[in-house]
Amino acid sequence: MLNMIILLSSYLIGSIPFALVIGKLFYSTDIRGYGSGNLGATNSFRVLGKKAGTGVAIADLLKGSIACFLPMMLHSNVSPILCGLLAIIGHAFPVFAGFKGGKAVATSAGVLLFLAPLGTFSACIVFLISLLTSKYVSLSSILGSISILIYSLLFEGRLITALSSFICLFVIILHRENIKRIWKGTEAKVGRIF
């Protein structure tokens, strides 16, 4: 029973739509009606500004780390990898927001920060370098997810590598429209967000 509660809690933690909560609570704005309509940090930066975007990014990241920490905190043998996976799915398909969430980049980073901190650090470096050079948040997110997969293949075990593979594929699929816009040259650059 405890294990089931932990797994359900992991999904529910991931489902908390902080972009929606912060937007409505502090800005009287439902960001689903603006920008990309996504409940993530990038759209929060675009619609609500730097403070809100930063707050959403940190909160979404913490969702992933907290979900992974639940088994340890409650002395359970449930895999933190599974808990992290459920938090990621919860963020992308949140029960509290009609199953339409964000693209799970920050929450995935929070999961991997708990499970593979060095790999996550390297992915952050790749993300920042890409962001500085290309100005595309979406492309930088994709490259960051690819870099954590490469790191996992080289230095981590099979389970974390499997999770990294899922995250990489998931992030690419959720960014498929962004990829099309990058190809067409219509994707928003970072200068339009900050």
Side-chain angles (χ1 to χ4, degrees):
M1 177 62 76
L2 176 61
N3 291 351
M4 290 301 298
I5 291 173
I6 289 173
L7 293 173
L8 177 60
S9 297
S10 297
Y11 169 77
L12 294 177
I13 289 170
S15 287
I16 300 172
F18 282 109
L20 183 61
V21 172
I22 290 174
K24 285 192 171 183
L25 192 60
F26 297 105
Y27 299 86
S28 300
T29 300
D30 185 337
I31 72 166
R32 293 174 295 184
Y34 301 89
S36 66
N38 287 318
L39 292 176
T42 300
N43 200 39
S44 297
F45 272 110
R46 182 182 294 117
V47 176
L48 304 174
K50 293 181 182 179
K51 289 183 180 179
T54 301
V56 171
I58 292 172
D60 285 348
L61 187 145
L62 287 174
K63 290 194 301 188
S65 294
I66 290 170
C68 290
F69 184 65
L70 281 179
M72 185 183 301
M73 183 173 62
L74 299 175
H75 307 288
S76 168
N77 61 356
V78 171
S79 170
I81 293 174
L82 182 55
C83 292
L85 176 63
L86 287 170
I88 292 167
I89 293 172
H91 178 81
F93 307 106
V95 66
F96 302 125
F99 300 100
K100 295 180 180 180
K103 296 181 179 176
V105 175
T107 303
S108 295
V111 170
L112 291 168
L113 183 63
F114 183 90
L115 297 170
L118 289 178
T120 306
F121 178 72
S122 68
C124 287
I125 292 175
V126 170
F127 175 90
L128 290 173
I129 291 173
S130 174
L131 192 61
L132 289 171
T133 55
S134 73
K135 308 297 184 183
Y136 290 124
V137 176
S138 53
L139 177 62
S140 302
S141 299
I142 292 168
L143 293 177
S145 69
I146 292 172
S147 70
I148 190 67
L149 173 57
I150 293 171
Y151 178 91
S152 298
L153 287 167
L154 293 174
F155 302 110
E156 296 291 346
R158 287 180 297 177
L159 290 178
I160 291 181
T161 299
L163 177 64
S164 298
S165 300
F166 170 83
I167 288 173
C168 183
L169 182 61
F170 198 52
V171 167
I172 290 172
I173 290 172
L174 292 178
H175 282 88
R176 60 191 181 278
E177 294 302 321
N178 302 83
I179 294 171
K180 292 178 184 177
R181 288 195 294 269
I182 290 172
W183 184 258
K184 294 178 181 178
T186 58
E187 175 76 342
K189 292 192 174 183
V190 72
R192 301 177 193 177
I193 297 171
F194 292 99

